[in-house]
Amino acid sequence: MRHLLSIDDVSADEIRMLFDTAAEMHDVQRRQVKKLPALRGRTVINLFFEDSTRTRSSFEIAGKWLSADVINLSAKGSSTSKGESLRDTVLTVTAMGVDGLVMRHSASGAAEQVSRWIDVPVVNAGDGTHEHPTQALLDAYTLTRRLGSLEGRHVAIVGDLTHSRVFRSNVKSLVKLGAEVTVVAPPTLMPAGVSTWSKEAGFATAWDLDEVLPHADAVMMLRVQRERMSGGFFPTAREYTVGYGLTRDRLARLREGTPILHPGPMNRGLEIAPEAADAAASLVLDQVSAGVAVRMSVLYHLLAGDEGVSA
Ligand code: CP
């Protein structure tokens, strides 16, 4: 693995290897032994052209807990606000001698493009509506820790699929790990071409959430991304919640203990009721915690070379 731009870059075996390392990192995290020397002397830059709470801070923590020097640069406060191009920006920061680049950008394909301009490993931390591979890895890692093997498990991914890079990465990783995936959205938020893609990739599509939920071993709710809807939001928020929200009523109809995931940030009361977000079966904060361990694992495998994980 030279870069992590898409879940296409990793096989099922490589995902399992990343999970094994993440489990070691998680144990380190739990035992409060917070620093490993694996990336001592390496420098990682987090280049975020879109806002982030979870991804940016967990990559920063992950790098620091592996003893890397971590630099954060966002569009606001960098010379991109003066019109500097993406190419000039990444060539400039890599000329300073960084060893790895973590990047979020609003343009689909931006991370792939950057990986062709520079010689250091690039991690895609979300590119437009294309992919968010580390989110998918941490989601599958969290589910695996809760359910054991995902082989034959039925995962429902529900929500604004059109604008979701999380959905696009998650179907790939979950199918690779043997899960049966059904994606559910209103027709207006079902991406063009999904029916062809679903047949090729081996997942199902549905419009009726109430038909899918009783059969789900896990439910992943997605954020309604109103900031990406230039033409307005249809259905209305109220109609959306009635048709596709994980409401209190639907929560009561899930099989007991069905894990509930959401990548965050959540629109409480729109796609997920507070009672579902905070339910005993909710894995939302487990996902956040796993994000550090999984990102440590990714940085370690991309940047550590032959050096060991030992404390
Ligand atoms: N899930 C996710 O990518 O969250 P942030 O936008 O806060 O990083």
Side-chain angles (χ1 to χ4, degrees):
M1 184 172 62
R2 167 87 174 115
H3 304 284
L4 181 59
L5 307 171
S6 159
I7 291 295
D8 295 334
D9 294 333
V10 281
S11 65
D13 283 345
E14 284 171 317
I15 293 175
R16 290 189 195 101
M17 175 198 68
L18 286 167
F19 288 1
D20 287 345
T21 308
E24 290 182 50
M25 302 299 182
H26 224 140
D27 289 346
V28 169
Q29 194 179 344
R30 280 167 202 278
R31 287 200 312 263
Q32 311 285 309
V33 181
K34 292 202 169 164
K35 281 226 171 191
L36 297 172
L39 297 187
R40 188 172 293 150
R42 309 278 210 282
T43 301
V44 178
I45 186 154
N46 292 330
L47 204 51
F48 276 65
F49 296 98
E50 266 191 349
D51 292 343
S52 168
T53 296
R54 281 147 283 269
T55 313
R56 183 168 56 186
S57 44
S58 61
F59 265 117
E60 182 173 358
I61 293 169
K64 286 181 172 169
W65 285 3
L66 290 169
S67 303
D69 294 309
V70 181
I71 294 159
N72 294 301
L73 197 63
S74 53
K76 198 168 171 228
S78 76
S79 287
T80 56
S81 63
K82 300 175 203 165
E84 188 165 42
S85 70
L86 177 60
R87 184 167 184 272
D88 284 338
T89 301
V90 296
L91 290 178
T92 298
V93 297
T94 46
M96 294 175 195
V98 301
D99 300 291
L101 190 146
V102 176
M103 195 182 89
R104 172 170 287 190
H105 200 282
S106 58
S108 299
E112 167 87 38
Q113 177 65 73
V114 163
S115 74
R116 291 163 195 239
W117 288 330
I118 61 177
D119 286 333
V120 302
V122 176
V123 181
N124 180 8
D127 61 328
T129 58
H130 174 229
E131 281 219 35
H132 193 350
T134 59
Q135 179 69 46
L137 291 174
L138 75 89
D139 291 339
Y141 175 79
T142 306
L143 260 185
T144 304
R145 283 172 80 90
R146 177 57 59 100
L147 295 178
S149 167
L150 299 186
E151 198 71 47
R153 297 292 200 155
H154 183 199
V155 182
I157 302 179
V158 184
D160 175 4
L161 302 179
T162 294
H163 302 101
S164 179
R165 54 199 178 204
V166 172
F167 140 67
R168 287 175 177 80
S169 288
N170 256 298
V171 282
K172 292 180 183 179
S173 56
L174 291 169
V175 168
K176 278 186 188 200
L177 295 172
E180 290 174 19
V181 179
T182 302
V183 301
V184 189
T188 51
L189 294 174
M190 193 67 89
V194 74
S195 105
T196 309
W197 181 36
S198 66
K199 286 187 190 93
E200 287 164 5
F203 64 95
T205 61
W207 291 343
D208 189 336
L209 179 57
D210 294 308
E211 274 185 9
V212 173
L213 285 185
H215 312 290
D217 293 310
V219 181
M220 182 181 297
M221 303 306 296
L222 298 174
R223 183 170 71 88
V224 174
Q225 300 190 39
R226 281 186 278 200
E227 76 278 14
R228 298 191 202 270
M229 297 179 189
S230 51
F233 178 29
F234 182 82
T236 64
R238 171 91 192 118
E239 287 166 340
Y240 184 88
T241 302
V242 168
Y244 295 93
L246 187 53
T247 57
R248 219 164 39 171
D249 282 355
R250 288 196 176 100
L251 177 66
R253 283 186 267 127
L254 288 178
R255 289 192 298 223
E256 197 178 339
T258 303
I260 298 164
L261 297 97
H262 192 303
M266 294 183 281
N267 292 309
R268 285 173 180 260
L270 178 55
E271 73 263 2
I272 187 165
E275 293 83 352
D278 302 328
S282 167
L283 296 181
V284 171
L285 292 179
D286 300 76
Q287 290 170 268
V288 174
S289 172
V292 176
V294 167
R295 287 172 176 132
M296 286 174 82
S297 172
V298 167
L299 291 178
Y300 171 77
H301 283 287
L302 283 174
L303 299 177
D306 294 332
E307 289 165 38
V309 189
S310 58

